[in-house]
């Protein structure tokens, strides 16, 4: 039955369950008495919702506290082992797959390096498929407990009705890759397990806003600084964040060629890949055959050596130039969006860390308009190298909360006819 506002009783119950789950998750443990004002629900509604959630195994008791003159009040919390999520980071140097409980405590992880094969689609799908199998086997977790698999990838994500999430990753050579369809055909999971695929910068932003340095901010930009650069914008109008292709703003007309094919992109100067390329062009000599992360470590050691050792002036000059380009790029974000906070994450951002940050701040405020520059803080993210996988795991968790803690319905037979046909043709492994 629908009310005057179009909401049914079922909608109301779902909204009430969502409100209680979210308050317990972010502010718990809480008593039933505290849940009333925290959610705006009546005491009777709170009691009914809590009873349902306890019966479903989603909420459990977590001790008690004294009340003012009455009986002790029982504290409640979300039961951490009542569901699991998997987060996947398709990064520039590796594919990382992690299994989490509802508290986002890591239960298992698998990493696969990306070497000569790079971003070959079949290789990536294989790494994700095998990683999912391994983390589930490592922890002995049942696939039936999975709320979903979140995947952070480079590029623009298009959500289609017939093929699910399609990835347009120009910088990695992916042209309309139907990643969700491929994962469904390749991964051995129940149809009820959904895939949530989004841009890696957005999943990083989601994690920092929920649990990291972005908590409490209404308007923030979270920057992913790795082989390339990207950003996620979070405002009151874009509550869950929007990925922006910040790395492909033009910062120099007829400049260096970016891996996207254009000339003068920010990523052609500020990404770790271009930073190392410019060091080599100027005479820098990282050890041959080492991966990108190790090469950046070597460059930092050359620029900032231990006491008594002379610094490499070429490495220092390239790092300073990179800081200026990155700062100039941040000034565009400051002028366009006037954020309260800018947070820098990603493996390269974390490696460069506090040593690099003062110069980036200086250039950002130099190039930005004075008033918005005075209002913003620029800091490092707090969640470390796992931030993208944590953010990816948040995607199915947020969906689970939005449905009031109800599990997803199985994917229908006709949603992905192409992967159904492909699955029938595949021989058993």
């Amino acid at each position: 039955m629908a009310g005057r506002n179009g909401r049914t009783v079922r909608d109301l119950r779902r909204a009430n369950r969502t409100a209680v789950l979210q308050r317990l998750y972010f502010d718990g443990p809480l008593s039933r008495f505290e849940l009333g004002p925290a959610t705006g629900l009546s005491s009777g509604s709170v009691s009914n919702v809590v009873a349902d959630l306890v019966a479903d195994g989603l909420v459990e008791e977590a001790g008690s506290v004294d009340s003012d003159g009455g009986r002790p009040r029982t504290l409640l919390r979300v039961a951490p082992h009542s569901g699991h999520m998997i987060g996947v980071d398709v990064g520039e140097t590796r594919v990382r797959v992690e299994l989490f409980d509802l508290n986002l405590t890591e239960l298992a992880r698998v990493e696969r390096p990306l070497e000569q094969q790079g971003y070959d689609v079949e290789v990536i799908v294989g790494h994700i498929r095998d990683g999912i199998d391994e983390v589930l086997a490592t922890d002995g977790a049942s696939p039936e407990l999975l709320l979903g698999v979140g995947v952070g990838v480079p590029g623009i994500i298009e959500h289609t009705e017939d093929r699910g999430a399609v990835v347009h990753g120009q910088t990695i050579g992916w042209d309309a890759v139907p990643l969700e369809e491929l994962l469904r055909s390749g991964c051995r999971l129940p149809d009820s397990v959904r895939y949530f695929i989004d841009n890696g910068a957005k999943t990083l932003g989601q994690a920092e806003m929920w649990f990291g340095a972005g908590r409490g901010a209404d308007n923030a930009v979270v920057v992913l600084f790795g082989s390339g650069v990207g950003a996620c914008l979070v405002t009151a109008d874009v509550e869950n964040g929007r990925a922006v292709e910040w790395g492909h703003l033009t910062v120099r007309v007829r400049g260096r060629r970016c891996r996207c094919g254009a000339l003068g992109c920010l990523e052609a100067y500020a990404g770790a890949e271009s930073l190392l390329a410019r060091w080599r062009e100027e005479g820098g000599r990282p050890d041959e055959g080492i991966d990108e992360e190790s090469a950046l470590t070597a460059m930092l050691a050359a620029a900032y050596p231990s006491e008594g050792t002379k610094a490499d002036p070429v490495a220092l000059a390239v790092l300073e130039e990179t800081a200026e380009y990155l700062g100039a790029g941040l000034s565009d974000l400051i002028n366009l969006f006037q954020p309260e906070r800018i947070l820098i994450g990603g493996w390269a951002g974390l490696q460069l860390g506090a040593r690099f940050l003062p110069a980036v701040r200086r250039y950002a405020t130099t190039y930005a308009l004075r008033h918005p520059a005075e209002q913003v803080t620029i800091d490092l993210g707090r969640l470390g190298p796992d931030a993208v996988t944590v953010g990816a795991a948040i995607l199915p968790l947020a969906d689970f909360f939005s449905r009031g803690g109800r599990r997803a319905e199985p994917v229908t037979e006709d949603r992905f006819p192409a992967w159904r046909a492909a699955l029938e043709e595949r021989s058993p492994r």
Side-chain angles (χ1 to χ4, degrees):
M1 176 185 226
R4 291 183 180 178
N5 59 3
R7 299 182 73 192
T8 65
V9 172
R10 185 178 180 181
D11 293 335
L12 183 60
R13 287 174 178 166
R14 181 174 62 245
N16 290 348
R17 285 170 61 101
T18 295
V20 170
L21 280 171
Q22 288 183 331
R23 288 284 60 78
L24 287 177
Y25 192 79
F26 289 108
D27 303 326
L30 296 170
S31 68
R32 289 172 177 80
F33 178 80
E34 293 170 310
L35 277 169
T39 60
L41 300 176
S42 68
S43 59
S45 294
V46 167
S47 295
N48 290 336
V49 171
V50 167
D52 285 345
L53 293 173
V54 170
D56 289 344
L58 294 176
V59 168
E60 63 185 15
E61 293 185 359
S64 61
V65 292
D66 292 335
S67 62
D68 297 332
R71 292 181 353 181
R73 292 185 179 130
T74 300
L75 294 176
L76 303 165
R77 68 176 182 184
V78 173
H81 300 295
S82 59
H84 293 153
M85 299 84 65
I86 287 177
V88 179
D89 175 12
V90 180
E92 294 110 343
T93 61
R94 61 174 58 85
V95 173
R96 178 183 288 123
V97 181
E98 295 185 60
L99 177 70
F100 300 91
D101 66 14
L102 279 191
N103 281 347
L104 285 170
T105 300
E106 182 192 302
L107 303 177
R109 82 159 58 194
V110 170
E111 293 188 358
R112 292 286 184 273
L114 294 177
E115 298 171 346
Q116 290 81 8
Q117 298 134 322
Y119 281 96
D120 181 274
V121 175
E122 290 186 9
V123 171
I124 297 292
V125 171
H127 285 336
I128 296 174
R129 178 198 62 227
D130 296 342
I132 288 172
D133 288 345
E134 288 187 45
V135 295
L136 289 175
T138 299
D139 192 66
S142 168
E144 282 69 31
L145 281 177
L146 273 182
L147 306 181
V149 177
V151 185
V153 295
I156 298 170
I157 314 303
E158 178 188 11
H159 295 280
T160 68
E161 286 294 327
D162 58 338
R163 308 192 80 185
V166 174
V167 182
H168 303 272
Q170 189 168 324
T171 61
I172 60 174
W174 284 18
D175 183 13
V177 171
L179 185 59
E180 183 175 351
E181 183 178 334
L182 294 171
L183 289 176
R184 284 208 167 274
S185 65
C187 297
R188 299 172 284 273
L189 291 174
D191 285 348
S192 59
V193 177
R194 293 186 176 183
Y195 292 86
F196 300 83
I197 298 169
D198 220 320
N199 177 273
K202 182 176 174 182
T203 68
L204 170 68
Q206 185 102 45
E208 288 289 350
M209 296 304 292
W210 273 40
F211 300 109
R215 289 199 69 176
D218 294 323
N219 189 341
V221 174
V222 184
V223 169
L224 177 59
F225 182 14
S227 292
V229 291
C232 172
L233 169 69
V234 181
T235 68
D237 297 326
V238 192
E239 183 179 355
N240 294 319
R242 181 181 74 226
V244 290
E245 291 295 333
W246 172 60
H248 302 288
L249 291 176
T250 302
V251 294
R252 189 166 180 174
V253 176
R254 294 187 294 276
R256 291 177 62 89
R257 187 167 297 280
C258 178
R259 57 183 180 171
C260 75
L263 297 176
C265 293
L266 173 64
E267 190 167 288
Y269 295 91
E273 182 179 296
S274 63
L275 189 160
L276 291 167
R278 288 185 288 118
W279 185 37
R280 291 187 182 96
E281 290 165 8
E282 295 296 327
R285 293 288 180 269
D287 295 337
E288 294 297 327
I290 62 176
D291 60 44
E292 200 168 71
E293 293 186 33
S294 301
L296 184 58
T297 300
M299 184 180 186
L300 286 170
Y304 307 107
S306 56
E307 190 174 346
T309 305
K310 187 177 180 181
D312 177 347
V314 174
L316 266 176
V318 172
L319 283 169
E320 179 71 12
E321 183 185 48
T322 301
E324 183 168 7
Y325 274 112
L326 189 62
L330 294 182
S331 75
D332 289 335
L333 296 176
I334 292 170
N335 291 341
L336 285 169
F337 304 117
Q338 301 177 32
E340 300 170 44
R341 301 176 199 174
I342 293 177
L343 307 173
I344 300 175
W347 66 265
L350 296 172
Q351 271 207 44
L352 293 169
R355 189 186 295 274
F356 196 61
L357 201 55
V360 172
R361 286 192 186 115
R362 184 174 69 251
Y363 287 120
T365 54
T366 297
Y367 285 110
L369 293 170
R370 184 171 60 254
H371 179 71
E374 289 172 348
Q375 311 305 313
V376 69
T377 60
I378 302 173
D379 290 299
L380 297 176
R382 293 180 188 166
L383 297 183
D386 293 339
V388 174
T389 47
V390 171
I394 286 173
L395 299 176
L397 179 61
D399 176 74
F400 182 63
F401 284 161
S402 73
R403 288 182 283 105
R406 304 291 187 191
R407 296 186 183 275
E409 295 295 325
V411 176
T412 58
E413 290 282 332
D414 60 352
R415 182 174 175 196
F416 301 116
W419 72 255
R420 286 288 179 188
L423 186 59
E424 290 173 359
E425 293 173 1
R426 291 170 67 93
S427 59
R429 291 186 176 274

